[in-house]
Amino acid sequence: MNRLIDKVAIVTGASSGIGRVTAKLFAAEGAKVVVGARRQAELDSLVNEIKAAGGDAVAVAGDVRSEDYHKALVAAAVKNYGKLDIAFNNAGTLGEAGPSTEVSEAGFSDALAINLTASFLAAKHQITEMVRHGGGSVVFTSTFVGYSFAFPGVAAYAASKSGLIGLTQALAAEYGPQNIRVNAILPGAVDTDMYREMNDTSDKQAFITNLHALKRVAAPEELARSVLYLASDDASFVTGTATLVDGGASITRT
Ligand SMILES: NC(=O)c1ccc[n+]([C@@H]2O[C@H](COP(=O)([O-])OP(=O)(O)OC[C@H]3O[C@@H](n4cnc5c(N)ncnc54)[C@H](OP(=O)(O)O)[C@@H]3O)[C@@H](O)[C@H]2O)c1
């Protein structure tokens, strides 16, 4: 408990799944949290839950494809809580899936816009504010897909998410001297809306489960605890990493 006491955090993709659970864990650990996503009602219910548990949070709804939205999230952190220490840039989309020879330019570009460009725009404004207060920690949600694992039919997802690893390294090198740490978390399969949408039959779920050494998929809470580690001062000498939290999917060949 209290690992984020006096810290101020932004969490995107907070309306469901990994982001929602992580925002609640951050708040339980003492952080004041600005939560973002497009669905206002889901954000409002999250803020109510956090407050009912004794924490503090505000919701700012918007679309991560807009640079102005990232400015608004940072402005909300500063206006409500005075600073920004932590950013979990987690909003993401599978994007247009299917045979790559049939994927449209618009579909490919949109996956890049949501998964990669938005993360760059977020970090641009977050780091500007963090530097003013002596440092901070940025965490991006990437994935094992396109890094240590390949699937057919998800080229836009794999390309956009693996781009985050280069972004992580570049920002970590550039802003390390100003005490900014930047890391990417690479989940294996996690039981969320996105996972259930991708794996809508028991056969598909059995196939995905078997890819992991642990022979199960993760609960969102298991990702949240790893994000908490990277965000917190427990990881004070950890930067520029691609941190696999994949239940051993990357080393499994059976
Ligand atoms: N589940 C897995 O197996 C898995 C594995 C590896 C990586 N990931 C990554 O984990 C992250 C979280 O996904 P999840 O599994 O927790 O699925 P999820 O429950 O579907 O969450 C996706 C989140 O992203 C937000 N989002 C999507 N597009 C957005 C946009 N244009 N603007 C603002 N917010 C947007 C959604 O909110 P709104 O719809 O309200 O906007 C939602 O909160 C994603 O980046 C995903 O790629 C998931």
Side-chain angles (χ1 to χ4, degrees):
M1 291 291 279
N2 295 339
R3 271 174 288 182
L4 300 183
I5 211 84
D6 295 331
K7 303 282 191 191
V8 179
I10 289 171
V11 176
T12 70
S15 56
S16 57
I18 297 167
R20 188 175 210 285
V21 173
T22 303
K24 287 174 71 173
L25 181 61
F26 279 8
E29 292 286 342
K32 299 175 176 77
V33 191
V34 179
V35 294
R38 290 165 300 184
R39 286 171 290 170
Q40 181 81 57
E42 278 77 357
L43 294 180
D44 289 344
S45 82
L46 172 62
V47 166
N48 289 339
E49 269 184 52
I50 287 173
K51 288 186 171 168
D56 197 354
V58 294
V60 181
D63 191 312
V64 292
R65 285 169 285 197
S66 156
E67 183 165 8
D68 283 345
Y69 181 50
H70 299 292
K71 290 183 194 167
L73 287 164
V74 172
V78 174
K79 177 172 167 255
N80 288 281
Y81 306 124
K83 60 175 182 161
L84 178 66
D85 304 293
I86 293 164
F88 180 35
N89 296 312
N90 165 73
T93 183
L94 179 60
E96 187 175 326
S100 294
T101 48
E102 293 168 23
V103 169
S104 67
E105 187 193 355
F108 191 85
S109 296
D110 201 45
L112 283 180
I114 294 172
N115 292 340
L116 183 56
T117 309
S119 297
F120 167 74
L121 295 172
K124 172 181 166 183
H125 295 285
Q126 293 157 357
I127 289 173
T128 301
E129 182 54 37
M130 288 172 176
V131 164
R132 285 198 188 108
H133 288 270
S137 173
V138 177
V139 182
F140 297 115
T141 305
S142 179
T143 170
F144 68 147
V145 178
Y147 178 77
S148 57
F149 221 99
F151 289 107
V154 289
Y157 186 67
S160 56
K161 287 290 189 177
S162 63
L164 283 174
I165 295 165
L167 179 65
T168 296
Q169 294 179 2
L171 293 176
E174 191 172 343
Y175 292 100
Q178 284 146 290
N179 195 31
I180 305 290
R181 296 186 299 102
V182 186
N183 292 284
I185 196 145
L186 279 58
V190 188
D191 189 8
T192 65
D193 293 348
M194 185 183 285
Y195 165 77
R196 278 177 240 125
E197 194 182 308
M198 282 174 76
N199 304 290
D200 53 359
T201 66
S202 55
D203 277 358
K204 285 184 192 167
Q205 288 178 12
F207 172 76
I208 295 292
T209 299
N210 192 53
L211 297 174
H212 298 73
L214 295 176
K215 301 304 173 198
R216 63 180 179 84
V217 301
E221 289 76 6
E222 295 180 280
L223 271 299
R225 287 197 294 272
S226 297
V227 177
L228 171 63
Y229 164 70
L230 290 173
S232 76
D233 293 340
D234 287 349
S236 55
F237 206 57
V238 181
T239 195
T241 71
T243 300
L244 282 162
V245 184
D246 72 344
S250 298
I251 50 85
T252 301
R253 296 289 180 274
T254 58

